[in-house]
Amino acid sequence: MRDRPADFRSDTVTRPTQPMRAAIANAVVGDDVFSDDPTVIELQEATAEVLGKEAALYVPSGTMSNQTAIRCHCRPGDELICEVGSHIYNYEQGGYAQLSGVAVRAVEGDFGVLRLDQLQGLIRPDNEHLVQTRLVCLENTHNRGAGRVQPYPIVEAICAWAHENRLATHLDGARLFNAVVATGIPARDWAKHFDTVSVCFSKGLGAPVGSALAGPKDLIARARRHRKVFGGGMRQAGIIAAGAIYALRNHVERLADDHKNAKRLADGVRKIDGLCLRPDQVDTNIVIFEVDRGFGSASQFNARLEEKGVWMIAFGPQLIRACTHLDVSERDVERALEVLAETAGHFSRHGKPAAIKDQAYV
Ligand SMILES: *Cc1c(COP(=O)(O)O)cnc(C)c1O
């Protein structure tokens, strides 16, 4: 095994580059709970500008950003509609219920893509037995949909329908910039259909910490209150915001390299017997494939990859997810393909290895 693994577990594993570290070292800071941190203010203004929104709020994580948005849009006893594989529904501990008393109507899409006709008819009538439908959340790109870019006309149609019916709209855009680079559609065009948009700096953009929630000024002022009670009021946060500013200015265009690497990885996986892309289409930086049951479970297969210095994650009983990012090179992709082919060959010859505890994932 080499010292440095080829780490495809997530696009969150990137470490700050030297120039990003220099920006962090030189950051001018203040106390952001007093709104005194010039670097945080600069990041918030730059994010609002890129997304074409009045204001933005820097928060420690994408989870806090989504949950703060839900708290702003909904009251206890309200319901939000989202896709069944979405991060909000699966990977945030049901925060909408724990923190905001909100129920969810989860609808199954096609690898994360909902159609308008699936949502029409889901708005609850005004009746005291029922929760009140208040919010529609979409995810772009879609994580469990293998980085699928939402088709633009669908986003347009679903949001127009939501607003006609006086529902609020929120975009979980943890990987929105991947969608921007993959389609050439500017972030503000994606964002204009939504009341609020969350973006992450610590995924593909490669910053160490943080996300932002963008939207109308009055809503972001309320979001600031909620951020405080959720524990997200940070002091000299300019230290980390400086990394996010650097990422926003320098690491968006290069996402195209991650997309190329993901396509290379997918092309290789297609040629390996016993592995099958789910879905076959790779739009951005995430590749999900199914492992033949004859090879054991995804965790068992994954454990063999890990021994050989290729790190991916089990994403379901038979599913493995691989993300490309700033710290994955073309050479890492080649190495991953060699190890995948070797491992598939090993299992074809030797059958199932001993059981290994299933990995959970985010
Ligand atoms: C990673 C991610 C988030 C937020 O994650 P944090 O780890 O809380 O920053 C939200 N939505 C999606 C789709 C994600 O992939």
Side-chain angles (χ1 to χ4, degrees):
M1 205 210 286
R2 303 178 313 173
D3 336 341
R4 188 179 75 84
D7 192 348
F8 293 85
R9 288 173 303 166
S10 174
D11 43 7
T12 56
V13 302
T14 55
R15 268 156 286 195
T17 59
Q18 280 311 325
M20 184 184 280
R21 285 175 186 272
I24 290 169
N26 294 321
V28 180
V29 299
D31 187 329
D32 185 51
V33 174
F34 288 107
S35 296
D36 266 357
D37 189 306
T39 306
V40 171
I41 292 169
E42 184 185 342
L43 172 64
Q44 291 175 162
E45 287 175 354
T47 307
E49 165 72 22
V50 167
L51 296 173
K53 297 294 184 197
E54 284 175 7
L57 183 70
Y58 187 46
V59 292
S61 71
T63 299
M64 190 182 290
S65 190
N66 284 332
Q67 293 304 326
T68 301
I70 291 168
R71 174 67 79 92
C72 287
H73 292 300
C74 301
R75 301 171 63 98
D78 285 347
E79 184 177 63
L80 69 83
I81 297 175
C82 66
E83 204 277 329
V84 77
S86 66
H87 196 279
I88 286 175
Y89 187 49
N90 292 278
Y91 299 126
E92 300 183 10
Q93 281 189 20
Y96 47 83
Q98 294 204 55
L99 303 171
S100 300
V102 170
V104 163
R105 191 88 176 261
V107 182
E108 184 165 3
D110 175 27
F111 292 103
V113 177
L114 295 168
R115 297 184 319 271
L116 175 56
D117 66 84
Q118 292 178 282
L119 307 189
Q120 287 165 329
L122 295 188
I123 300 175
R124 311 270 185 185
D126 183 9
N127 174 315
E128 70 181 44
H129 294 87
L130 307 174
V131 290
Q132 291 200 281
T133 315
R134 191 74 70 190
L135 171 66
V136 177
C137 299
L138 298 182
E139 185 173 311
N140 198 18
T141 65
H142 197 286
N143 176 24
R144 286 203 70 91
R148 173 69 55 92
V149 177
Q150 298 286 344
Y152 191 83
I154 290 190
V155 169
E156 217 171 7
I158 289 178
C159 291
W161 164 83
H163 292 143
E164 273 160 30
N165 289 283
R166 293 206 262 157
L167 304 180
T169 51
H170 171 69
L171 173 62
D172 178 354
R175 298 188 179 86
L176 181 63
F177 294 107
N178 294 89
V180 167
V181 168
T183 58
I185 298 171
R188 55 170 56 223
D189 285 342
W190 287 109
K192 72 183 177 195
H193 303 290
F194 297 89
D195 297 306
T196 50
V197 178
S198 171
V199 291
C200 290
F201 304 111
S202 59
K203 294 262 160 93
L205 297 192
V209 187
S211 288
L213 179 67
K217 223 172 176 165
D218 56 339
L219 184 144
I220 295 302
R222 285 189 290 123
R224 200 180 157 88
R225 277 190 67 81
H226 300 316
R227 180 186 69 173
K228 191 71 174 73
V229 77
F230 289 168
M234 299 182 286
R235 303 298 178 172
Q236 284 70 41
I239 278 290
I240 48 177
I245 293 173
Y246 184 90
L248 198 56
R249 299 216 170 114
N250 298 283
H251 288 171
V252 174
E253 299 306 320
R254 66 147 306 284
L255 291 171
D257 300 338
D258 300 343
H259 300 173
K260 253 186 241 155
N261 278 335
K263 286 193 169 74
R264 273 190 198 110
L265 182 65
D267 287 342
V269 167
R270 277 193 196 93
K271 293 179 196 142
I272 300 173
D273 284 341
L275 304 184
C276 183
L277 294 175
R278 294 277 183 243
D280 188 64
Q281 179 183 332
V282 172
D283 290 348
T284 56
N285 71 325
I286 302 179
V287 176
I288 297 179
F289 56 90
E290 190 174 335
V291 176
D292 190 281
R293 279 173 207 283
F295 293 177
S297 70
S299 324
Q300 290 168 332
F301 192 84
N302 214 26
R304 299 281 311 192
L305 302 180
E306 195 180 319
E307 281 168 18
K308 294 174 183 173
V310 173
W311 295 2
M312 298 182 175
I313 53 168
F315 213 49
Q318 297 305 130
L319 293 178
I320 289 180
R321 187 190 77 169
C323 282
T324 56
H325 52 75
L326 197 56
D327 291 351
V328 160
S329 65
E330 204 178 322
R331 174 70 199 116
D332 290 328
V333 171
E334 285 165 22
R335 175 169 170 76
L337 287 171
E338 285 161 21
V339 168
L340 282 168
E342 242 173 68
T343 307
H346 168 91
F347 278 113
S348 302
R349 289 189 304 276
H350 296 100
K352 295 184 186 185
I356 292 159
K357 193 168 157 281
D358 267 316
Q359 285 178 338
Y361 160 65
V362 184

